[in-house]
Amino acid sequence: MNTATVSGPAPDAAGDAMGPDPVHVPVLVVGGSLSGLSAAVLLAHQGVGCLVVERRSGIGSHPRSRVLTARSGEVFRSVGLEPAIDAVSRRPSGWFEARTLADPTYTRLDPSGDPTLLISPAGSRLCDQNRLEPILLADARSRGAKVLYGCELTSFEQDPHGVTARILDRSTGRSRTVRCSYLLAADGTRSPVRDSLGIGLRGRRGEPRFLSTVFAADLDPALRGRRPTAVVFPGREVLFARGTSRAPLWEYGIPDSPFPAGACDDEVGRFVRERLRRVTGLPGLEPDVRSVLRWGASAVVAERFGEGRVFLLGDAAHTMPVVGGLGGNSGIQDAHNLAWKLAAVLHGNAGRELLDTYDTERNRVADHTLWHVLATVRGLPEALPPETLQLGYLYPDPAGGPDAGPCEDPYRPTGRPGSRAPHLWLGHDGGRMSVLDLFGTGFTLLAGPLGQRWLPAGARAAAGLGLPFAAHRIGGPDSALRDPCGTFPTRYGIGPAGAVLVRPDGYVARRWETAPHTRTALEHAVRTALEQPAALSPEPASNAP
């Protein structure tokens, strides 16, 4: 039995917010910020019930994470949230360098346009975290997930059959017992759950050095019609465009905060206003300061991402400098990787061994991403761009093939097992769709234009496996999915009669360059990807303590 206390002792009185005591739920998510809410949406999408508890009273006002990478956009597209996110975000317009915002000309620091639109149906966006989280919250609740604010995990213990947790209602001082099959810790950089499990960190924690201020102001006299994503000034001070075109806000950031954590608000406010007047070149500017935040630039990865029935995700698993916004996006993808695996285990389609692959896959990605983020900060030439780190990372081949390394160039995809299934526009029903739109809650078989014999084999495999499974032929005579340029086989590294098997999270599990087109081959590939023992029964959602 593994027992841990994550804060002070919980009161004995029971609250009523969660219903009868004890509460039974398949998954308890601790932390209701970006990673925790993403987990709730993705678990609910997979048909897994969950309860999210967040110690704060609600969604924070500071925008925090800004960049939503193309890979995260693909994740949210897969659950139908792309239109809602589009309504509160904008496309990047570019980073520039200038002495002040009022300079007559700026120097561009990055290529024009969004290169990820060449390889992703989603592309990258600028979406403030405090605008994204309400979308995730509403969607999670609409799918049946329960999200409670002002509630804090105070202790938990796990046994061979589940986890028993104590939850404190901070508004009433009462506590309840929650019994779950699995606990997900999305409780931030200083994760009490991680510390209580004794999981150490690789890297270095940051001191409170960075300062950022979100403000509203009319900057048009300095901008003169220009709409940059961000402008970098001498001393590495940065002005970011925040909000939306209809409700614009700005964020000023300085990497070396001159104030200790306890500095008074008036002193910080005077400093910020003076700096804003200087970097904007508007000496009479009177900014409406909405929030001020100070934080440290930690660069750490947890030694392991889980223990027993408890898993870490987001900042609890890895904390990265803000460059490229990869910390928050990695948390979204942690949740995406873990949600379908938990669903497979809880629905009886996989053994618990499948959950071990979460650490195997995501820990390596976090290490690789952090190294390149730090290389970017240090100006090293070998630093990879964010889109390569987000769209090109590789998982180990589930069939045990040679390790191809942690990353490939997403602009030259291989379709090898362990890689993200490459994007390709297909003709469908008089319009177009991405091949990525075919992936979701189950495994998907994609056959080449001459691979029609794969389809009946897929139907027989689906019946034999008894789990969500879809089969499609891409291109070829009478196919409902047209491949206008005939590039599907090349993009996925197969012949015209070959096929690929794709996991629910859009990663290639197996491919066949030619056509064995047998039910046995498909069933074996799915079972291998699921780490599936010969016989399984669904795991109970929870057990009484």
Side-chain angles (χ1 to χ4, degrees):
M1 181 178 293
N2 187 313
T3 303
T5 299
V6 297
S7 73
D12 292 331
D16 299 321
M18 291 179 280
D21 193 355
V23 176
H24 294 265
V25 66
V27 179
L28 172 64
V29 181
V30 180
S33 193
L34 181 58
S35 298
L37 290 175
S38 296
V41 168
L42 294 165
L43 285 166
H45 179 67
Q46 294 285 347
V48 175
C50 70
L51 167 66
V52 181
V53 294
E54 167 57 52
R55 69 187 307 274
R56 298 173 303 164
S57 60
I59 291 170
S61 61
H62 200 87
R64 292 180 291 171
S65 176
R66 171 62 163 161
V67 177
L68 193 67
T69 65
R71 180 57 188 156
S72 294
E74 291 172 358
V75 170
F76 292 136
R77 178 187 176 100
S78 72
V79 294
L81 289 182
E82 191 172 57
I85 293 172
D86 277 341
V88 298
S89 63
R90 62 170 111 175
R91 297 291 181 178
S93 54
W95 281 62
F96 297 86
E97 186 177 51
R99 185 178 56 84
T100 75
L101 196 67
D103 283 3
T105 59
Y106 300 161
T107 301
R108 179 176 280 275
L109 297 176
D110 59 355
S112 179
D114 179 6
T116 63
L117 289 172
L118 297 173
I119 53 175
S120 169
S124 60
R125 294 172 175 81
L126 302 178
C127 185
D128 294 342
Q129 186 171 330
N130 61 339
R131 292 180 175 273
L132 176 58
E133 286 183 4
I135 294 172
L136 302 180
L137 174 62
D139 187 75
R141 285 175 168 166
S142 73
R143 296 174 188 266
K146 192 164 190 176
V147 183
L148 299 178
Y149 289 93
C151 292
E152 180 180 4
L153 175 74
T154 57
S155 66
F156 68 92
E157 62 181 39
Q158 54 178 319
D159 56 61
H161 304 291
V163 181
T164 302
R166 291 290 284 175
I167 306 297
L168 170 69
D169 184 330
R170 293 165 61 88
S171 65
T172 65
R174 298 178 178 179
S175 68
R176 305 303 302 269
T177 298
V178 174
R179 180 68 178 173
C180 59
S181 293
Y182 296 95
L183 187 152
L184 308 188
D187 53 344
T189 302
R190 301 188 182 277
S191 169
V193 173
R194 183 192 64 224
D195 291 345
S196 70
L197 292 172
I199 297 177
L201 299 171
R202 302 186 297 270
R204 186 178 66 183
R205 289 182 185 266
E207 296 301 322
R209 292 183 52 219
F210 282 76
L211 181 148
S212 70
T213 301
V214 175
F215 67 97
D218 179 11
L219 301 185
D220 282 345
L223 290 168
R224 296 191 293 276
R226 297 171 291 194
R227 292 292 179 267
T229 296
V231 180
V232 181
F233 307 106
R236 297 187 297 161
E237 297 170 86
V238 185
L239 198 63
F240 300 93
R242 288 284 192 175
T244 67
S245 56
R246 296 178 181 177
L249 291 172
W250 297 89
E251 180 182 1
Y252 163 76
I254 180 172
D256 296 299
S257 172
F259 298 103
C264 71
D265 292 343
D266 288 345
E267 186 180 6
V268 175
R270 285 193 298 272
F271 168 82
V272 166
R273 285 175 171 80
E274 185 277 327
R275 288 288 182 130
L276 290 177
R277 292 171 186 134
R278 185 174 59 79
V279 300
T280 60
L282 300 173
L285 183 71
E286 291 293 341
D288 175 12
V289 175
R290 303 290 177 85
S291 65
V292 178
L293 187 67
R294 282 164 281 174
W295 76 95
S298 295
V300 295
V301 176
E303 292 174 349
R304 57 190 185 278
F305 282 13
E307 182 171 308
R309 292 175 172 271
V310 181
F311 297 92
L312 311 179
L313 64 158
D315 285 348
H318 45 72
T319 305
M320 302 181 188
V322 296
V323 175
L326 298 186
N329 284 281
S330 294
I332 293 167
Q333 291 146 45
D334 291 341
H336 194 220
N337 181 284
L338 186 55
W340 77 268
K341 295 175 180 178
L342 284 168
V345 173
L346 288 166
H347 294 157
N349 296 323
R352 286 184 57 194
E353 296 82 1
L354 176 63
L355 300 178
D356 295 337
T357 66
Y358 171 65
D359 178 76
T360 302
E361 294 179 347
R362 295 304 301 169
N363 203 311
R364 179 168 90 160
V365 169
D367 267 337
H368 183 67
T369 301
L370 180 59
W371 190 95
H372 284 278
V373 169
L374 292 175
T376 300
V377 171
R378 295 165 182 157
L380 300 180
E382 57 265 43
L384 292 174
E387 65 265 25
T388 297
L389 297 171
Q390 288 278 290
L391 295 168
Y393 57 76
L394 298 173
Y395 296 144
D397 183 347
D403 190 346
C407 200
E408 71 175 10
D409 183 352
Y411 295 96
R412 296 176 176 82
T414 62
R416 62 165 59 95
S419 69
R420 162 185 163 271
H423 159 63
L424 181 71
W425 286 117
L426 303 175
H428 175 64
D429 198 23
R432 71 172 188 173
M433 65 181 297
S434 171
V435 68
L436 274 58
D437 296 332
L438 299 172
F439 313 142
T441 56
F443 281 80
T444 303
L445 179 73
L446 303 178
L450 301 182
Q452 57 268 25
R453 293 177 64 188
W454 283 102
L455 302 186
R460 291 192 296 273
L465 290 164
L467 51 79
F469 187 96
H472 306 276
R473 181 162 57 94
I474 309 299
D478 304 320
S479 173
L481 298 170
R482 293 177 288 105
D483 180 12
C485 299
T487 56
F488 169 72
T490 302
R491 187 72 60 93
Y492 278 77
I494 61 173
V500 293
L501 179 69
V502 181
R503 304 187 329 186
D505 61 350
Y507 270 71
V508 176
R510 185 71 184 271
R511 67 177 175 183
W512 299 267
E513 294 184 13
T514 55
H517 46 72
T518 66
R519 167 184 172 175
T520 302
L522 289 174
E523 288 189 3
H524 177 74
V526 172
R527 293 186 189 279
T528 299
L530 288 172
E531 304 275 331
Q532 191 181 63
L536 292 167
S537 60
E539 180 167 333
S542 59
N543 295 282

